[in-house]
Amino acid sequence: MTTKANDLITIIVAIYNTSKWLDRCICSILEQTYENLEIILVNDGSTDDSGEICRKYENIDCRILTIDKINGGLTSARKAGFKIAKGKYIAFIDSDDYLESTYVEELYNNIIENNSDISICNYYLEKNDTKIEKKMICEKKCYNKAEYISSLVLPSIYQLPNDKTKIPNFLWLRLFRKKIITDECFVSEREVYTEDLFFNIEIYKDCKKISVVDRCLYNYCINPSSLTHQYRTNKYEMEKKRIQKVQDVFRKYKIVDSSRILLANIRLIWECTENATRLEKYSLYKSEMKKLYNDRNLRKIPMNKVVSKVSIGEKISYYCFQYKCYLVAYCFKRLMKIKGDK
């Protein structure tokens, strides 16, 4: 592979209590075939040895800069790194994951060759030492501004069978031209779920072209202790905020697609049920679910119009919501979890 230019690229790593995996992550960055890097390690108030590990590597490689800050969450850590970044291009990496050696080089070359503002790659899902290829579904290698709503935004709200594009929203699959990133892109995961979705939607307004690399260059590792896999006390409220923000996006871009909003509400029921089943006792689960099942405003939404379009699992969650079948929803979700853990 031949690198076309040698622009400075900043890699920002948000870190919170990931000392178990941090060496692997940082080493994968240092081993990149593209070497003109600025590596910003943002220690977001870790209480383990993460800060010491960061400083160890900072003393080894002059490309590394460590920031220590009070804990503020993933988005605040990314934003802190972005504020001091000097690179022409930016990549955001999660500290419990790691990169293939050509991650930066291939994404960068793709941007240069296609004169794009963002390049996106596929990834490996790693669980129990098994790696599974996770590939985008896309009908072309480049997308222009006129195609963003139909090809990128709507499928991200809810994927329909006839959608020809399915590109994950994860920021860590992307290399960004720095000039298109603004403060408005940084939506806190403590305010709304799927913060990466809203980061991407905000960035599209200043993005002229997006290109894809049909190769798995990132390793996303399942970490049972990560926030994604833990019970969240405010899950229901934040899922409702996500729906509200989606509606705001639709108004902003004058999108007329009511079915996606209805489908997003069915997904809300599915996600909240899954979150509640992470509680240790059935009594706690039922108490949590009452907030969802007794929400009069949610019950007024005509989700029955689109229920035929959703997965079997989402159908079951929806009908349990309709008829307040607490135990059925609980048993179904627990069985799904057991099956997934095998």
Side-chain angles (χ1 to χ4, degrees):
M1 184 181 303
T2 303
T3 301
K4 304 296 182 181
N6 196 37
D7 293 306
L8 179 65
I9 295 176
T10 299
I11 296 182
I12 297 169
V13 187
I15 300 163
Y16 178 71
N17 287 356
T18 53
S19 59
K20 183 177 179 180
W21 306 279
L22 192 52
D23 283 290
R24 179 184 64 183
C25 176
I26 296 173
C27 286
S28 76
I29 299 171
L30 297 179
E31 292 167 1
Q32 288 296 297
T33 54
Y34 190 97
E35 297 182 348
N36 192 19
L37 301 175
E38 174 188 51
I39 305 165
I40 301 177
L41 307 178
V42 185
N43 178 31
D44 189 37
S46 296
T47 57
D48 64 0
D49 296 331
S50 294
E52 288 75 10
I53 294 171
C54 291
R55 283 182 282 278
K56 176 184 73 174
Y57 283 100
E58 187 177 34
N59 292 330
I60 292 173
D61 196 306
C62 63
R63 296 176 297 174
I64 294 178
L65 172 65
T66 299
I67 299 174
D68 290 300
K69 63 182 287 295
I70 297 172
N71 180 257
L74 175 62
T75 297
S76 76
R78 287 172 171 172
K79 191 171 182 179
F82 176 74
K83 283 184 175 180
I84 64 169
K86 298 175 182 176
K88 186 175 181 179
Y89 300 92
I90 305 286
F92 298 97
I93 307 302
D94 285 358
S95 57
D96 49 358
D97 300 330
Y98 65 101
L99 309 176
E100 295 295 300
S101 63
T102 59
Y103 169 88
V104 175
E105 185 170 2
E106 292 197 50
L107 287 175
Y108 174 69
N109 282 349
N110 183 262
I111 279 185
I112 300 300
E113 289 167 3
N114 293 289
N115 192 28
S116 57
D117 293 312
I118 304 173
S119 66
I120 310 172
C121 65
N122 298 313
Y123 68 102
Y124 293 108
L125 175 65
E126 185 171 307
K127 182 179 181 181
N128 299 328
D129 297 323
T130 300
K131 291 174 71 167
I132 303 169
E133 284 191 349
K134 304 293 284 186
K135 292 204 167 189
M136 297 174 277
I137 299 172
C138 44
E139 56 184 337
K140 55 200 302 185
K141 292 185 177 181
C142 292
Y143 294 87
N144 60 42
K145 203 174 187 72
E147 299 169 306
Y148 294 164
I149 298 300
S150 61
S151 296
L152 300 175
V153 176
L154 290 178
S156 294
I157 303 300
Y158 192 95
Q159 185 76 35
L160 293 173
N162 61 340
D163 288 333
K164 296 179 180 179
T165 304
K166 184 178 181 181
I167 298 178
N169 284 300
F170 307 127
L171 294 197
W172 34 260
L173 292 181
R174 291 158 163 77
L175 182 65
F176 300 92
R177 195 182 297 271
K178 183 186 178 185
K179 69 178 183 181
I180 65 171
I181 302 175
T182 63
D183 283 348
E184 288 72 27
C185 294
F186 293 94
V187 179
S188 174
E189 80 286 353
R190 295 184 175 182
E191 296 176 12
V192 61
Y193 284 113
T194 59
E195 70 281 355
D196 287 358
L197 165 64
F198 298 111
F199 183 104
N200 289 322
I201 289 175
E202 183 63 34
I203 212 170
Y204 291 155
K205 64 182 176 59
D206 295 318
C207 179
K208 295 178 181 178
K209 186 190 290 186
I210 295 170
S211 55
V212 300
V213 178
D214 189 21
R215 277 172 46 75
C216 297
L217 301 174
Y218 190 95
N219 294 279
Y220 171 56
C221 304
I222 298 296
N223 173 9
S225 63
S226 71
L227 197 59
T228 305
H229 301 93
Q230 299 299 309
Y231 167 73
R232 300 286 293 269
T233 57
N234 60 345
K235 175 79 169 176
Y236 177 48
E237 289 74 18
M238 291 183 68
E239 284 288 349
K240 290 203 294 185
K241 286 182 181 179
R242 179 177 68 87
I243 301 294
Q244 292 169 1
K245 198 164 182 65
V246 167
Q247 291 174 320
D248 291 341
V249 168
F250 275 35
R251 284 190 289 268
K252 179 178 179 180
Y253 289 96
K254 299 180 180 178
I255 300 171
V256 180
D257 191 333
S258 59
S259 66
R260 305 269 180 172
I261 300 294
L262 297 176
L263 290 163
N265 277 285
I266 293 180
R267 179 64 55 80
L268 175 152
I269 295 169
W270 167 269
E271 292 288 342
C272 289
T273 304
E274 182 171 88
N275 182 62
T277 54
R278 289 174 178 149
L279 289 162
E280 293 182 3
K281 296 181 180 179
Y282 176 75
S283 59
L284 296 174
Y285 154 84
K286 190 171 182 178
S287 177
E288 175 77 6
M289 291 297 287
K290 281 183 178 179
K291 292 189 292 184
L292 177 72
Y293 283 4
N294 294 329
D295 188 321
R296 293 181 180 180
N297 291 326
L298 190 61
R299 288 191 166 277
K300 291 177 183 177
I301 298 171
M303 291 176 276
N304 59 304
K305 292 182 179 180
V306 296
V307 71
S308 62
K309 298 180 180 180
V310 305
S311 68
I312 293 175
E314 288 173 326
K315 278 191 178 86
I316 292 172
S317 291
Y318 168 72
Y319 286 121
C320 287
F321 162 79
Q322 281 286 81
Y323 300 105
K324 297 188 178 182
C325 301
Y326 292 93
L327 185 58
V328 175
Y330 179 78
C331 292
F332 172 69
K333 273 294 190 178
R334 297 290 287 188
L335 285 171
M336 290 283 289
K337 183 181 186 303
I338 292 170
K339 184 179 178 181
D341 288 342
K342 288 182 178 179

